[in-house]
Amino acid sequence: MPAPTTPADVAAALWKPVMFRAVAAAAFGALSVFWPAPDATVLAYSFAGYLVFSAKAVWDFAQAGVVPSAVRGLLGGAAIAWSLAAVFMVFVPEPGAVAAAGGVALAVSGLLELYAWLRHRAELVPVRDFLISGGASLGTGAALLAGRGLDPHGVFGIAGGGAIIVAVFLLIAAFGYRHDAREPAERR
């Protein structure tokens, strides 16, 4: 069975938002690994920044003309969940509150991505990526909700670990879409 290829017009429309989300996740994940002792403010502001940049990337993905309207609505819901959680984190920068807000937002967005994957993966090849990104988001959200009593370092580690998984997978996908975006004549 041949691997599905992304049509050039679809890949050209979507590779930049996917790359932007991957880079945001990689930056947050790297920060969580290399910041030795974050305080609650660093945790809240960096996590909020990650969620805002992720929301922007997913919103841009959803606004591409090649994305079916049903998928747009689901991704819009994910962007709203991330944005609301980010605002909450900025105003309530306590580790438990950040873990709860981030956990709910990631779990909701993960469920929305998984639903989009389940219902719309045949319509648009890039939606197939939502199985991994949605599963990683849902798992990270559940872990954050289960670990609400953790200190800032623990919350940062869980959130950053999930971001690293998303980053690696989406970087691979984005480079693949960039490759597929070339005109068919250039592929020869």
Side-chain angles (χ1 to χ4, degrees):
M1 180 162 152
T5 58
T6 307
D9 62 327
V10 172
L14 298 178
W15 79 267
K16 288 180 183 177
V18 174
M19 181 68 76
F20 187 76
R21 182 177 176 196
V23 169
F28 178 68
L31 186 65
S32 74
V33 169
F34 294 112
W35 196 289
D39 62 11
T41 305
V42 168
L43 167 65
Y45 290 174
S46 62
F47 198 173
Y50 164 59
L51 293 176
V52 167
F53 285 124
S54 295
K56 167 69 170 128
V58 167
W59 183 258
D60 289 348
F61 184 103
Q63 296 308 307
V66 297
V67 176
S69 61
V71 175
R72 285 183 187 159
L74 294 168
L75 295 180
I80 289 169
W82 287 332
S83 299
L84 291 174
V87 169
F88 181 81
M89 289 176 188
V90 168
F91 287 108
V92 187
E94 300 297 324
V98 169
V104 168
L106 289 172
V108 166
S109 67
L111 287 172
L112 290 171
E113 284 185 292
L114 288 171
Y115 184 76
W117 169 80
L118 183 65
R119 302 289 291 169
H120 304 286
R121 67 184 181 269
E123 297 171 47
L124 187 69
V125 173
V127 170
R128 294 176 184 187
D129 296 338
F130 295 168
L131 175 62
I132 303 296
S133 62
S137 293
L138 178 60
T140 303
L144 285 170
L145 291 172
R148 285 187 41 213
L150 294 173
D151 65 349
H153 189 269
V155 175
F156 209 21
I158 291 172
I164 289 169
I165 294 167
V166 169
V168 169
F169 183 74
L170 290 182
L171 278 171
I172 293 167
F175 282 119
Y177 298 145
R178 176 64 187 108
H179 180 267
D180 289 343
R182 297 184 309 168
E183 291 299 320
E186 294 178 18
R187 292 184 187 170
R188 294 180 194 161

